[in-house]
Amino acid sequence: SADFSSLEEYLEYFRDDLRCTVYDYKLNGGAQFRRLMWESEIFVRYAEICDEVNKRDIVQARGVAITTVGWRDVVVKILAKEAHLKMKARVRYVAERLRWFFKEQKEAVIEFMDSVKGSADEKMYSVLFTKHVEQLKQDPMVKEVVFETFDKVVDRQYEEFMALFENTLCATFNNPWLFMKR
């Protein structure tokens, strides 16, 4: 990214500027998901549309119209030109990160399901956990089919997520005043 020239610089930012204490620990499951949500929120929340809006951009946005063009119209045009595609790219990045996260958690879920039997928390979970994890461990074909089906569902959810947010972004940039009131 333009903000960080290397992974080390990005990690330094988490350690020194954000004071995130677990930025460099290898996590999985819920802890990794919480960190991913935190990183994603920071990534989207602090997005900038451009370095600066100059006089030329404002004059260009005013354009020529039959009716008068107010400042509200100018802001909408500049946002549509400068911010829409950048935010769409950021949303796509977050969606890709989420898709990757869920696809990488399959083995961690199996480890968790396997650890339930005989633990103090055994009664908190379905008795089917141990039955199903045994099937997954014993039959590689079942495991492969379950993993493939899971990946297909994650891919479908990714497409639905992107469609939802593309529609939301279009609506937001067509009438930002409505979304600012919320």
Side-chain angles (χ1 to χ4, degrees):
S1 114
D3 297 327
F4 304 104
S5 60
S6 67
L7 176 61
E8 290 75 28
E9 193 175 312
Y10 181 65
L11 294 176
E12 284 175 20
Y13 170 72
F14 267 90
R15 183 187 64 235
D16 300 336
D17 296 345
L18 298 178
R19 300 189 200 296
C20 177
T21 57
V22 295
Y23 72 94
D24 59 349
Y25 293 136
K26 291 188 179 196
L27 304 171
N28 71 17
Q32 184 181 10
F33 183 74
R34 296 287 300 152
R35 183 167 65 190
L36 173 61
M37 291 291 93
W38 194 58
E39 288 177 12
S40 298
E41 180 181 350
I42 291 168
F43 179 71
V44 173
R45 181 175 293 214
Y46 296 106
E48 296 176 352
I49 61 168
C50 61
D51 293 333
E52 66 180 49
V53 177
N54 58 36
K55 184 178 177 179
R56 182 181 179 281
D57 295 331
I58 294 171
V59 170
Q60 187 71 29
R62 297 258 347 231
V64 177
I66 295 172
T67 62
T68 60
V69 177
W71 288 111
R72 291 171 65 95
D73 301 320
V74 170
V75 169
V76 169
K77 285 181 182 180
I78 290 174
L79 281 174
K81 178 181 175 267
E82 297 291 336
H84 190 165
L85 292 178
K86 290 179 182 179
M87 284 306 296
K88 186 176 178 179
R90 284 183 177 261
V91 168
R92 182 170 303 283
Y93 172 78
V94 169
E96 288 288 349
R97 290 277 312 265
L98 286 166
R99 178 163 60 173
W100 176 86
F101 167 80
F102 284 113
K103 286 184 175 186
E104 292 297 311
Q105 290 303 303
K106 294 182 293 245
E107 289 296 336
V109 169
I110 288 179
E111 281 181 39
F112 170 74
M113 289 172 66
D114 199 26
S115 71
V116 169
K117 187 174 184 176
S119 73
D121 296 333
E122 183 175 10
K123 299 293 183 202
M124 293 176 61
Y125 301 100
S126 171
V127 294
L128 297 176
F129 268 28
T130 53
K131 179 181 174 187
H132 291 163
V133 80
E134 286 302 318
Q135 285 179 329
L136 292 170
K137 287 169 46 179
Q138 289 176 359
D139 192 345
M141 184 183 279
V142 169
K143 184 177 179 180
E144 183 179 335
V145 168
V146 168
F147 280 15
E148 285 176 5
T149 304
F150 182 83
D151 287 346
K152 286 178 186 175
V153 170
V154 169
D155 290 338
R156 185 184 72 223
Q157 290 304 117
Y158 166 83
E159 295 300 329
E160 289 179 17
F161 178 89
M162 285 306 303
L164 171 72
F165 274 93
E166 284 176 15
N167 292 337
T168 302
L169 286 174
C170 284
T172 300
F173 288 111
N174 281 330
N175 190 356
W177 310 111
L178 178 66
F179 282 87
M180 286 175 43
K181 291 180 182 178
R182 293 184 180 187

